[in-house]
Amino acid sequence: RARRVAVISGASSIEISIEKQFRQAFEPYRERLDFIHLTRLPLAETLDRIRGLPQDTVVLVYIVLVDGAGKGYLPAEAAAEVAAAADVPVYGSFDSFLGRGIVGGRLLSFEMLGVKAGEMGRRVLQGAKPEDLPVSGHGTHLNMFDWRELKRWKISEDRLPAGSLVQFKTPSFWDLYRWHAAGALLLFFLQTALVSHLLIQRARRRRAEKALLERLTFEEMLSALSARFVLASPDRVDTQIAQELERIRGLLDVDRVQVFELSEDGLRMTASHSSAGKETPPPSPEIDLVEMPWARGRIMASETIHFADPDDLPAAAEAEKAYLRSHGIRSGVVIPFTAGGAVHGVLTLALVHRSRQWPQELIRRCGMISEIIANAKARKRFENALEQSQRFNRLILDSLAYHIAVLDRQGIVIDVNESWRRFAAENAAAAPEKVDRGTDYLDICRRAADGGDPLAGSALEGISAVLEGSSREFTLEYPLHAPDKKRWFIMRVIPFSGRKRGAIISRIENTERKLAEIDLRNAFTEIERLKTRLEAETAYLQEEIRLEHNFEGIIGRSPAIQYVLYKVEQVAATDTSVLVLGETGTGKELVCRAIHSNSLRKERPLVKVNCAALPASLIESELFGHERGAFTGAQSRRKGRFELADGGCIFLDEIGELPLDLQGKLLRVLQDGEFERLGSSMTIRVDVRVIAATNRDLESQVQAGRFREDLFYRLNVFPITVPPLRERTVDIPVLAQFFMEKAAKHMGKHIEFMPESVRSRLLEYPWPGNVRELKNVIERAVISSTGPKLRLADDLLGYRPAAPTENGNDPLKSLQEIETEYILRVLERTNQRIDGPKGAAAILKINPSTLRSRMHKLGIKKA
């Protein structure tokens, strides 16, 4: 959508030449794009102009070394300011700009330049001639983009050039754990598929058993027809009847079997069998047998007649007798079956001649009886098979780790597996509602929802939708916490249909994955917090690393400096505030760093603030930070030095220069450890140890009303006074030797020794600038020395008085003589008093220690 390109570069000569190349490169695109050249302008004006750019504009920052106002910038920092001010995407030209708010672009890669240079150096070392080395700038630019800015401006990665590098990409939870989630879901669906498979197999088994029953009915009928007509010898008739009765009683559920004999005289009971065992039969008369020409025996036939009332038995027996006689059967037995006091049927065992031609009606009656007995056998086998199948299904259901409950269409629990019952017994306190067969599960959810549980309301709606058929499945993740343990579960509801309709609820514990998800979220939060903190510390250390420290350690063996080190060792391990006093150049900052390095907070950085180097309008923002828009030029929120030093130490150098209106805010930090950013009302608490240093006399500052008395006492908990160099002359040769070796090494010179004359002159000089002045003098001497011996570059004792003029007039006085006379006059007026509000130092408006040093240098002694 871009229609305009705003080009930003600086005003230096190299930037002007690059601007011309840019204008030439833009020529092919001028018909489609409008180019706005914001070049050679002050950076503040450039920032104001890009804030109102239309939305179809993009900004291209080449390099800003010097803006139109002549102010110098680091290119990356200038690009960051442009990106913060612009309301449209900003592109750059160097890879050092990436991560500072720009989208990216085809960036000059300093890493690739290094690779090219390294390859060229390798070839030179291998003997290649310079004229054989190609000169080429190709391959040093890479398409690089900031993933966070792509998301901000809604730029799809698919639109980037092929081979583009996308930096700062934060992996999502799905990217990190998608395979774990996929595995859990796969396991969930596999177990669901297993349960569904078992239900389908159960339905198929029922259909197969039904078909098998129909087949067995026919086969049993045939086998019964052949088995019901058996040849028995006369002495085996009673045994055969007993066996027949026992077999029938095993098939038919009866509580009593009575045996009657059918004869010419009528119907007479000959035996009675009960569930407790066979009773002793009464004596039976001899049964007439029909002689067979080739064998003697009995053929037994059977049939069953159903009755509704026991009183119908005699009539039924007479009817059976008439039927048998009509077919030539003269004898046999009739066996009625009773259960619960009611006659359920009659079994007739008739005696027929083997060679007789049986009527078709008798065969049909026998076939009907055999079919009834076969049905009884098949039903018995079916019941056994069904019982085994149900037992097998129950074993499978109870072996699952899932908690499974089956509901009918009204939400009543039909069945639950052993895992559900065991979990309910173990967690009765967390889930007091008991769920078992016959429980109204929907009513339990309804009562929980009325009690204010939103998850119970969701479960009620989801399960009802599945039961009504408006939803194919329902899934819910919910917590079930106990007092000593937090637990999460996933519930899934699927419907089933058949003779009955309902739903299957499967529930499995999800605690480990949920806890891992919470730990991961907390880890990401902690990473973001540490990242923000590290960025702030890095920004501060990058500023601090630009400064070069004067010393690598505290050097000296005089009693005065050893006493200072002793006090440092005493106070370092505490969190007490320390006030370091001393003249300028004595090494107060080095003492402060020694305190921090030996403290318990040494793992955190020592944050330094020079109160004298900052203007009064900015020192509050530097110390306590500011919010965006707190003052003119505050384009983003910035943390203050106290916030950066949280958990560590802060070094307030030249504390005596702190403006009076900020001293109260500093006092609050020392007392309560809290403050507010400039432009914000939110209170920030910090844990910071304060180490302050000054070359001023704070007591006189307090008396003069230029320093708060309460702040002075808060800072002056443990004062350490660093002695001036003139009070530790023993250390002057050691320090001079150290500075000489360091400067000579830095300048590449070879200076072997320091003459005794130079050493004597160094010891005679009062050193008003202390160690810093000594370092400068030695450095000048190293520069001036040409041989192995150190030579001083100038006279340390100053100028001598001028000689009288030729015309005899009074000679002109030197500046030192005038200064000496004036100091003596002031001392006479103050009665030789130096300190205090009415002392000579206050009148001369200099530090008392500075005045004493000056008096010593000029040779002035108090009267």
Side-chain angles (χ1 to χ4, degrees):
R1 298 189 299 272
R3 294 294 180 268
R4 300 176 182 84
V5 180
V7 184
I8 297 176
S9 64
S12 66
S13 58
I14 185 171
E15 292 170 289
I16 292 173
S17 64
I18 293 298
E19 178 188 352
K20 296 178 181 179
Q21 298 180 22
F22 263 73
R23 290 179 181 271
Q24 293 175 3
F26 294 154
E27 286 301 328
Y29 306 97
R30 291 193 179 275
E31 293 182 359
R32 184 167 61 89
L33 299 171
D34 294 333
F35 292 90
I36 305 170
H37 293 275
L38 304 178
T39 59
R40 311 183 194 180
L41 299 174
L43 184 58
E45 181 179 348
T46 302
L47 297 179
D48 291 338
R49 293 186 63 178
I50 66 175
R51 287 190 181 95
L53 292 175
Q55 292 302 310
D56 59 354
T57 308
V58 296
V59 177
L60 174 61
V61 182
Y62 177 66
I63 186 171
V64 178
L65 295 172
V66 179
D67 66 356
K71 186 177 179 181
Y73 291 91
L74 290 175
E77 293 181 355
E81 292 190 28
V82 171
D87 295 329
V88 296
V90 178
Y91 295 82
S93 53
F94 296 94
D95 61 355
S96 59
F97 294 180
L98 203 63
R100 295 177 174 265
I102 72 167
V103 178
R106 185 158 181 80
L107 308 181
L108 175 61
S109 173
F110 293 104
E111 181 180 359
M112 294 304 299
L113 285 174
V115 172
K116 293 279 186 179
E119 177 62 22
M120 187 175 296
R122 184 184 65 82
R123 294 181 61 182
V124 170
L125 292 175
Q126 290 178 349
K129 296 180 179 180
E131 56 269 17
D132 295 337
L133 299 177
V135 179
S136 174
H138 297 294
T140 57
H141 287 72
L142 298 176
N143 293 321
M144 303 176 69
F145 297 91
D146 190 329
W147 180 80
R148 300 167 297 185
E149 297 301 319
L150 293 176
K151 292 296 181 182
R152 175 187 175 190
W153 299 109
K154 297 181 177 58
I155 301 174
S156 173
E157 294 185 33
D158 298 337
R159 298 180 58 195
L160 303 182
S164 297
L165 302 177
V166 179
Q167 304 288 344
F168 311 110
K169 190 168 185 179
T170 303
S172 64
F173 175 82
W174 176 250
D175 294 334
L176 293 174
Y177 291 95
R178 61 177 179 271
W179 296 116
H180 299 76
L185 287 175
L186 179 60
L187 178 62
F188 179 80
F189 284 117
L190 283 176
Q191 294 208 4
T192 304
L194 176 60
V195 174
S196 303
H197 176 70
L198 292 176
L199 293 174
I200 293 171
Q201 288 295 104
R202 180 179 178 181
R204 289 177 177 175
R205 188 180 300 111
R206 286 181 176 178
R207 290 195 296 269
E209 288 172 350
K210 183 177 180 181
L212 181 61
L213 177 60
E214 294 175 353
R215 181 179 178 184
L216 288 176
T217 299
F218 179 73
E219 293 179 354
E220 287 292 336
M221 183 187 70
L222 297 179
S223 63
L225 285 175
S226 60
R228 298 302 293 144
F229 295 90
V230 294
L231 178 65
S233 59
D235 57 346
R236 293 286 298 169
V237 171
D238 293 337
T239 303
Q240 189 72 33
I241 292 175
Q243 292 178 354
E244 196 71 22
L245 291 175
E246 190 67 27
R247 187 178 66 84
I248 293 173
R249 188 166 58 179
L251 295 174
L252 301 177
D253 187 14
V254 297
D255 54 10
R256 192 172 190 83
V257 176
Q258 294 176 324
V259 180
F260 294 85
E261 183 179 350
L262 182 64
S263 66
E264 294 291 341
D265 298 331
L267 190 65
R268 184 166 58 88
M269 185 177 72
T270 59
S272 176
H273 298 264
S274 66
S275 58
K278 183 177 179 182
E279 298 179 2
T280 304
S284 176
E286 185 178 353
I287 300 176
D288 295 333
L289 300 177
V290 179
E291 295 293 336
M292 291 186 296
W294 52 271
R296 181 181 180 87
R298 295 174 177 177
I299 302 295
M300 294 185 296
S302 63
E303 68 173 272
T304 300
I305 303 174
H306 294 279
F307 300 96
D309 193 337
D311 296 337
D312 296 335
L313 180 59
E318 291 297 331
E320 186 68 13
K321 177 181 177 181
Y323 176 80
L324 294 176
R325 284 182 175 179
S326 66
H327 289 83
I329 301 176
R330 300 300 178 185
S331 62
V333 294
V334 178
I335 307 172
F337 294 92
T338 62
V343 178
H344 289 265
V346 175
L347 178 62
T348 300
L349 301 179
L351 302 178
V352 298
H353 198 277
R354 175 159 185 165
S355 62
R356 182 179 179 83
Q357 184 67 33
W358 295 340
Q360 295 297 321
E361 293 82 358
L362 180 61
I363 296 176
R364 284 198 296 269
R365 289 169 71 91
C366 293
M368 183 177 65
I369 295 168
S370 300
E371 182 179 353
I372 291 173
I373 296 177
N375 287 341
K377 289 182 177 180
R379 185 172 65 254
K380 196 71 174 180
R381 278 198 300 272
F382 171 74
E383 290 174 355
N384 293 336
L386 180 61
E387 183 180 357
Q388 292 179 0
S389 176
Q390 290 177 344
R391 190 182 303 113
F392 179 71
N393 291 340
R394 169 56 59 182
L395 288 174
I396 294 177
L397 201 61
D398 290 341
S399 67
L400 295 177
Y402 280 81
H403 309 153
I404 295 178
V406 184
L407 310 182
D408 63 9
R409 293 185 63 178
Q410 286 72 38
I412 306 300
V413 178
I414 301 175
D415 196 6
V416 293
N417 69 342
E418 187 62 28
S419 296
W420 187 296
R421 292 194 183 93
R422 186 167 54 250
F423 176 80
E426 294 173 355
N427 300 272
E433 293 286 356
K434 185 178 180 181
V435 177
D436 208 338
R437 294 179 181 178
T439 304
D440 191 341
Y441 196 82
L442 295 182
D443 184 59
I444 293 177
C445 296
R446 192 177 298 109
R447 282 188 276 114
D450 294 340
D453 188 353
L455 292 176
S458 301
L460 178 62
E461 294 178 3
I463 297 173
S464 299
V466 173
L467 291 174
E468 294 168 359
S470 58
S471 177
R472 291 304 304 164
E473 70 173 73
F474 169 70
T475 303
L476 175 67
E477 183 178 26
Y478 64 95
L480 187 62
H481 300 328
D484 57 340
K485 185 178 181 182
K486 291 186 176 181
R487 305 177 77 175
W488 284 265
F489 290 85
I490 293 179
M491 179 175 69
R492 185 165 183 258
V493 184
I494 59 174
F496 70 88
S497 60
R499 284 192 308 167
K500 295 183 179 181
R501 285 185 56 187
I504 298 175
I505 300 177
S506 60
R507 185 176 66 189
I508 191 168
E509 187 169 356
N510 191 38
T511 302
E512 292 186 3
R513 188 185 68 82
K514 192 69 178 179
L515 292 177
E517 180 181 340
I518 294 173
D519 291 343
L520 182 64
R521 192 182 304 115
N522 293 338
F524 273 122
T525 303
E526 180 68 13
I527 288 172
E528 287 296 329
R529 187 184 70 81
L530 295 176
K531 177 183 176 183
T532 304
R533 180 173 176 178
L534 181 61
E535 288 177 351
E537 291 180 2
T538 302
Y540 168 73
L541 292 175
Q542 286 177 346
E543 294 180 5
E544 190 71 11
I545 204 170
R546 298 174 189 165
L547 305 176
E548 180 181 359
H549 302 304
N550 291 328
F551 309 99
E552 295 179 358
I554 300 177
I555 298 174
R557 50 177 180 262
S558 63
I561 200 65
Q562 292 298 320
Y563 180 67
V564 170
L565 295 177
Y566 169 71
K567 298 190 75 175
V568 167
E569 184 179 1
Q570 280 185 315
V571 77
T574 68
D575 282 341
T576 305
S577 299
V578 180
L579 179 62
V580 182
L581 305 170
E583 299 179 6
T584 179
T586 53
K588 297 186 292 297
E589 180 179 349
L590 204 59
V591 172
C592 294
R593 292 187 179 277
I595 294 173
H596 173 71
S597 298
N598 291 275
S599 70
L600 300 177
R601 301 171 180 252
K602 61 184 178 180
E603 300 298 330
R604 304 277 293 128
L606 174 65
V607 179
K608 175 185 174 185
V609 180
N610 191 334
C611 300
L614 295 171
S617 59
L618 295 179
I619 191 169
E620 182 177 3
S621 170
E622 188 71 18
L623 287 175
F624 306 111
H626 64 260
E627 297 289 339
R628 182 176 182 180
F631 53 85
T632 304
Q635 299 176 358
S636 62
R637 186 178 72 175
R638 180 177 180 182
K639 292 184 178 181
R641 296 301 176 93
F642 270 100
E643 201 168 347
L644 291 175
D646 187 17
C649 301
I650 189 169
F651 172 39
L652 301 178
D653 198 8
E654 302 297 342
I655 189 67
E657 305 293 338
L658 189 68
L660 193 61
D661 56 345
L662 288 181
Q663 294 178 14
K665 199 166 183 178
L666 176 60
L667 179 63
R668 182 187 174 195
V669 178
L670 290 172
Q671 289 178 339
D672 304 327
E674 58 183 29
F675 62 91
E676 290 84 26
R677 289 199 192 105
L678 190 62
S680 172
S681 60
M682 184 180 68
T683 301
I684 300 174
R685 297 192 60 84
V686 293
D687 176 22
V688 180
R689 180 183 187 180
V690 177
I691 305 173
T694 182
N695 61 0
R696 289 195 173 193
D697 186 356
L698 291 185
E699 293 185 7
S700 62
Q701 293 283 91
V702 171
Q703 295 176 3
R706 291 191 293 272
F707 201 85
R708 292 178 62 114
E709 184 176 8
D710 48 2
L711 178 60
F712 170 71
Y713 288 118
R714 274 285 179 183
L715 293 172
N716 199 36
V717 177
F718 195 90
I720 297 178
T721 302
V722 183
L725 193 56
R726 59 182 175 275
E727 296 180 6
R728 43 182 288 214
T729 54
V730 177
D731 297 332
I732 293 177
V734 180
L735 289 169
Q737 183 71 24
F738 172 75
F739 292 141
M740 180 188 74
E741 294 175 356
K742 181 179 179 181
K745 181 179 180 181
H746 181 69
M747 298 178 190
K749 290 192 173 185
H750 184 67
I751 299 179
E752 297 179 354
F753 65 95
M754 182 186 304
E756 188 61 33
S757 59
V758 173
R759 192 186 304 271
S760 300
R761 291 170 64 185
L762 295 178
L763 292 173
E764 292 173 359
Y765 186 63
W767 299 108
N770 293 294
V771 180
R772 185 181 296 114
E773 183 182 5
L774 174 61
K775 178 178 181 296
N776 296 337
V777 167
I778 296 300
E779 189 171 345
R780 288 197 302 272
V782 171
I783 295 173
S784 303
S785 301
T786 57
K789 183 170 62 175
L790 183 70
R791 299 178 182 274
L792 293 179
D794 48 18
D795 189 2
L796 298 178
L797 300 180
Y799 298 100
R800 296 180 179 178
T805 57
E806 294 180 359
N807 56 12
N809 296 330
D810 292 335
L812 295 175
K813 295 182 178 180
S814 66
L815 182 62
Q816 290 182 345
E817 293 177 359
I818 296 174
E819 186 177 1
T820 301
E821 291 179 0
Y822 187 74
I823 292 174
L824 290 172
R825 287 169 53 194
V826 173
L827 289 173
E828 289 177 1
R829 181 168 296 183
T830 60
N831 294 324
Q832 305 298 319
R833 184 176 181 180
I834 296 176
D835 298 322
K838 296 182 180 181
I843 296 175
L844 296 173
K845 295 183 178 180
I846 60 176
N847 192 283
S849 59
T850 304
L851 178 57
R852 290 188 180 93
S853 175
R854 197 66 183 163
M855 291 171 60
H856 184 274
K857 180 178 179 180
L858 298 174
I860 301 174
K861 297 182 179 180
K862 295 171 62 175

